[in-house]
Amino acid sequence: MAPSRLSSSIKAASIKPPLKCLLLFALSSAQADDQILQRVLVEGSRGNQLGVADAASAGSISQQELAARTVYRPGEILEAAPGLIVSQHSGEGKANQFYLRGFNLDHGTDLRTTVDDMPVNQRSHAHGQGWTDLNFLIPELAVRLDYKKGPYSAGEGDFASAGTASVVYANRLLQGVASVSAGQNGYGRALLADSLEAGQGSLLYALEALHNDGPYTHPDDYQKLNAVLRYSEGYANNGYNVSLMAYRADWNSTDQIPLRAVQDGRMGRNDAIDATDGGKSHRYSLSGGWRRTGEDSASRVNAYIIANQLDLYSNFTYFMDDPVHGDQFAQPDKRVTSGLNASHSWHQHMAGGDSSTTIGIQLQNDNIFNGLLTTQARQPLAVVRRDHIVESSASLYVENSTRWNSAFRTVAGARLDSYRFDVRSDLAANSGKASDHLVSPSLSLIYGPWQTAELYANIGSGFHSNDARGATIRIDPKTGAAVDQVSPLVRSRGMELGARSSWLPGLQSSLSVYRLDFDSELSFVGDAGTTEAGRPSRRYGVEVSNYYKPLKWLSVDLDLAYARARSRDEKLEGAPEGHYIPGAIEGTGQLALTVDDGGPYSGSLKLRYFGPRPLIEDNSVRSAASLTLNARLGWKIRKGLILELEAFNLTNRRDSAIDYYYPSQLKGEAAPVNDIHFHPIESRSLRATLVKNF
């Protein structure tokens, strides 16, 4: 597989056919320290994906474009992927909420996220399946964000049905950076990062400290310390690295509050009901990666071990279950995750085309201790359940990419996933073992006889794993009632038609129309300690993405997406509860303008539209849409010294960051009340950052 065009200075016609596959492979694994390859791949700030991507909905965002984005929290770096929304409904240390392709992905289910090939999603998590905590991310170290949507890649497995987001860290920095930030609402941040020559390689280090209160009556008092130490030799496509990462944080939470209490004046938009909600967490990891590219082959191996711990305290129903002590509960989760990914690719040259075949293996083991406790002011009252879980998986995949001629290429693959679950619960009836396996084929057809356009057809199967406790449960730990076990692995099926074009100089456009089915939206409800069996679902959608650089100093991003999500259980056609999926996002949009002529001043504006969602199955209660405008202004005071000003929610809109509909009971209320519960978006705030490069 080879690019038909890499940049205006390198034309596909000038590359000899035997070199096409190798050049593409090198480009796909290049990082910012590969200075020559980076200049080939990146023209402006976004690499042209014609001849490179296998779907209209896949892409890669460069370091330059990531650095120009205004992000309130580290996880929002993922919003560079068109159609993806990152939100929050609690304190800053908690994992974000994600929305994509008609999904409320909760804290990460069905969005596979990796940082340097380490999985971020946590399986069988105490609070939510696929828990994706990106607070350890340091944006200044990210040299690329690669994204895909849909289950069309054999190399992606669990949680990848809606999409994947892969953040790549630098092996070395071209210059050191020291920055100090200060802002409203108690915001402060300090960062120091640099690379040093060490022996035959390079030693990269980064240290980050951050504090943020947010606009809340009871401050978040979010405090985190973050560090990265990496040694590397060679380059990204021929070399190796070894990395240590460490992150610690603690915070208070202002969780979602009932709309009725704000409307009748009992509390303000930024007030908390239970001021003792919050949490603390840490993440420590050791990882290594090795890559070797030869004349007709390429190999890559990475291994990791990650220690995660979370203590989370939440109260969403207030005094509904326990009018005396309140409904606060704790969800401790402590785990060690280890894994290995290895692949080898062979390149074959044919008359008029070329082919590449990759075979890979992915191994992962999670040793987990988690639980659910009722608490008051973070002090335990009773244990609902405690579990020791060992979850192991082995995956084998093969994928072939063939360019049959100058106009047509294919990508065909299949993967086999095998899972084993071993649950030891404090309630013997809920202990047990389970196993499951799935075969997931995929096929992509790419047709592009033109210099400026390509057409895509993609089809494939994927899955997400369910919480191991749902696969062995027999008794509701709260009520003692019998409950049904669920399938450990849930199948998804997707198809997509798309097009990509650069017909107008400076303009890159893509269009995709897709369908995605799930056999069941099963999920383990960490807040209750039980499993919910959802109905089969179907989502249709269309996405349009445009990147336009009409002038050397101006770039414009416009991304629009619409999705229709419905349950599709034929036995329940006409059921009174309806077929809408609560929380399923219907529309998103982003418009970003970036100005940078290389002079002393630069700036950007980003307008984000977060569309409405049905909140219950019959669509009688809906969330409102939200609209936020962020801005950034940069001033190069002198060489190596920059002042940046950032403004968030510039128009100071009073929208919701997230909405739910469920019953709750406040103190003084005689009975539970069904109501919208919301978390407000952060009010207008300003931040200033002084950056010194050395």
Side-chain angles (χ1 to χ4, degrees):
M1 186 172 63
S4 60
R5 185 182 67 266
L6 297 173
S7 73
S8 59
S9 59
I10 296 184
K11 304 295 183 181
S14 67
I15 303 175
K16 296 180 180 180
L19 299 179
K20 289 182 179 179
C21 267
L22 294 178
L23 181 56
L24 177 58
F25 182 87
L27 288 172
S28 68
S29 60
Q31 295 186 18
D33 52 289
D34 296 305
Q35 298 177 48
I36 296 176
L37 289 177
Q38 186 193 23
R39 285 196 291 267
V40 172
L41 177 62
V42 179
E43 184 180 49
S45 64
R46 181 175 293 186
N48 195 326
Q49 297 296 305
L50 281 172
V52 178
D54 300 328
S57 57
S60 184
I61 309 296
S62 73
Q63 182 182 31
Q64 181 181 350
E65 187 175 5
L66 292 175
R69 300 186 67 86
T70 302
V71 296
Y72 186 87
R73 51 183 64 92
E76 288 183 4
I77 193 174
L78 267 59
E79 288 191 350
L84 178 59
I85 294 290
V86 179
S87 187
Q88 180 59 277
H89 78 109
S90 190
E92 284 303 314
K94 193 175 181 180
N96 297 129
Q97 299 278 134
F98 302 92
Y99 293 83
L100 178 69
R101 288 202 157 185
F103 284 88
N104 175 355
L105 296 163
D106 193 45
H107 296 291
T109 304
D110 298 312
L111 176 65
R112 177 175 173 81
T113 306
T114 62
V115 174
D116 270 354
D117 294 322
M118 287 185 290
V120 182
N121 304 79
Q122 295 179 37
R123 312 187 293 199
S124 301
H125 190 269
H127 184 72
Q129 178 69 337
W131 175 267
T132 302
D133 183 356
L134 284 166
N135 287 295
F136 72 94
L137 188 66
I138 300 178
E140 288 85 349
L141 300 185
V143 296
R144 200 174 71 248
L145 170 66
D146 299 326
Y147 63 88
K148 301 175 184 177
K149 300 174 191 175
Y152 315 127
S153 174
E156 311 290 348
D158 201 0
F159 306 121
S161 294
T164 65
S166 174
V167 178
V168 181
Y169 268 9
N171 275 343
R172 60 177 66 88
L173 300 178
L174 299 182
Q175 54 184 348
V177 57
S179 69
V180 179
S181 303
Q184 293 176 287
N185 301 324
Y187 180 84
R189 180 179 184 254
L191 172 72
L192 177 65
D194 195 14
S195 294
L196 307 173
E197 296 302 318
Q200 300 297 312
S202 176
L203 185 67
L204 179 150
Y205 68 86
L207 299 170
E208 178 192 30
L210 183 144
H211 177 270
N212 191 18
D213 285 331
Y216 307 107
T217 305
H218 182 63
D220 277 351
D221 192 23
Y222 175 46
Q223 302 179 56
K224 80 170 177 180
L225 294 173
N226 209 1
V228 174
L229 185 66
R230 163 172 286 187
Y231 178 77
S232 63
E233 288 190 12
Y235 293 93
N237 60 324
N238 270 298
Y240 73 90
N241 62 61
V242 179
S243 303
L244 284 168
M245 300 184 189
Y247 162 81
R248 292 186 66 91
D250 61 79
W251 65 92
N252 300 319
S253 291
T254 295
D255 290 328
Q256 63 261 20
I257 57 176
L259 181 61
R260 63 184 183 276
V262 177
Q263 290 178 333
D264 64 21
R266 278 181 285 175
M267 62 189 306
R269 287 174 52 83
N270 294 320
D271 288 349
I273 293 176
D274 191 336
T276 65
D277 289 349
K280 60 182 179 179
S281 67
H282 71 235
R283 180 191 183 277
Y284 306 123
S285 67
L286 170 64
S287 62
W290 173 87
R291 297 187 184 183
R292 187 69 65 219
T293 303
E295 183 177 353
D296 288 308
S297 64
S299 301
R300 56 185 294 175
V301 179
N302 80 284
Y304 54 85
I305 182 168
I306 310 167
N308 276 293
Q309 182 168 340
L310 172 71
D311 292 299
L312 185 64
Y313 300 88
S314 308
N315 187 345
F316 302 134
T317 53
Y318 322 126
F319 293 92
M320 187 176 75
D321 296 329
D322 188 339
V324 176
H325 301 100
D327 297 350
Q328 189 185 75
F329 56 93
Q331 293 167 305
D333 190 285
K334 184 177 181 180
R335 68 182 59 215
V336 174
T337 300
S338 55
L340 171 74
N341 303 316
S343 66
H344 185 74
S345 301
W346 297 269
H347 305 281
Q348 303 87 34
H349 311 296
M350 311 177 301
D354 42 53
S355 181
S356 174
T357 301
T358 299
I359 186 170
I361 187 171
Q362 298 168 347
L363 306 174
Q364 183 175 332
N365 183 77
D366 294 275
N367 190 11
I368 309 163
F369 294 86
N370 60 24
L372 176 64
L373 297 80
T374 59
T375 58
Q376 181 181 18
R378 303 196 185 189
Q379 298 302 309
L381 298 175
V383 175
V384 178
R385 68 179 300 167
R386 287 188 184 274
D387 302 275
H388 176 204
I389 304 165
V390 177
E391 181 170 343
S392 304
S393 63
S395 308
L396 177 67
Y397 69 91
V398 60
E399 189 167 73
N400 174 265
S401 302
T402 298
R403 178 175 292 277
W404 300 94
N405 52 49
S406 60
F408 182 62
R409 54 191 173 97
T410 60
V411 181
R415 65 179 288 127
L416 170 64
D417 290 276
S418 179
Y419 276 65
R420 292 179 60 86
F421 307 87
D422 186 350
V423 179
R424 299 179 184 179
S425 180
D426 59 348
L427 186 60
N430 288 335
S431 299
K433 296 182 180 181
S435 62
D436 203 355
H437 67 275
L438 280 177
V439 176
S440 305
S442 57
L443 175 66
S444 298
L445 310 177
I446 304 98
Y447 181 64
W450 316 280
Q451 288 292 311
T452 59
E454 279 185 333
L455 302 177
Y456 307 87
N458 311 94
I459 188 169
S461 293
F463 72 98
H464 71 233
S465 62
N466 272 312
D467 193 292
R469 292 167 290 183
T472 63
I473 193 170
R474 292 181 177 85
I475 297 175
D476 186 311
K478 275 191 172 182
T479 67
V483 295
D484 294 330
Q485 297 176 352
V486 300
S487 173
L489 305 180
V490 179
R491 167 76 70 192
S492 67
R493 298 173 180 84
M495 59 182 66
E496 182 174 320
L497 295 175
R500 190 187 304 271
S501 171
S502 62
W503 62 273
L504 181 68
L507 175 65
Q508 299 177 37
S509 299
S510 64
L511 168 69
S512 57
V513 180
Y514 65 89
R515 191 184 86 180
L516 182 61
D517 294 348
F518 261 103
D519 286 350
S520 174
E521 299 206 6
L522 302 175
S523 60
F524 183 86
V525 184
D527 301 348
T530 58
T531 297
E532 278 188 358
R535 289 182 277 169
S537 64
R538 172 165 292 172
R539 288 168 171 84
Y540 295 100
V542 57
E543 296 174 329
V544 180
S545 178
N546 298 278
Y547 174 75
Y548 186 37
K549 197 170 181 66
L551 302 168
K552 184 178 180 180
W553 51 268
L554 174 65
S555 61
V556 182
D557 288 89
L558 176 61
D559 302 317
L560 302 171
Y562 172 78
R564 181 184 186 274
R566 298 289 189 272
S567 297
R568 57 180 180 92
D569 191 339
E570 295 180 359
K571 296 179 181 179
L572 294 175
E573 285 298 330
E577 64 266 34
H579 293 275
Y580 287 81
I581 300 175
I585 190 168
E586 294 177 346
T588 68
Q590 289 196 55
L591 173 63
L593 305 177
T594 303
V595 176
D596 188 354
D597 64 356
Y601 300 103
S602 62
S604 64
L605 285 172
K606 186 182 81 169
L607 182 68
R608 187 188 76 164
Y609 172 75
F610 183 14
R613 288 86 63 202
L615 297 182
I616 59 176
E617 287 82 355
D618 66 4
N619 198 34
S620 61
V621 182
R622 293 175 58 83
S623 70
S626 69
L627 196 66
T628 52
L629 179 64
N630 296 341
R632 176 177 171 272
L633 178 65
W635 174 32
K636 298 177 184 176
I637 301 172
R638 61 173 182 266
K639 185 177 180 180
L641 186 63
I642 301 171
L643 176 64
E644 295 180 348
L645 301 177
E646 294 176 296
F648 301 91
N649 190 12
L650 196 59
T651 58
N652 204 28
R653 288 180 62 97
R654 294 163 61 86
D655 292 332
S656 298
I658 196 166
D659 296 292
Y660 300 100
Y661 186 78
Y662 59 83
S664 66
Q665 186 172 348
L666 294 167
K667 209 157 199 174
E669 292 181 331
V673 179
N674 286 309
D675 196 7
I676 293 176
H677 297 73
F678 75 99
H679 188 71
I681 62 172
E682 291 77 14
S683 57
R684 180 171 53 222
S685 63
L686 305 176
R687 296 176 185 173
T689 302
L690 189 64
V691 182
K692 172 63 178 177
N693 294 117
F694 54 91

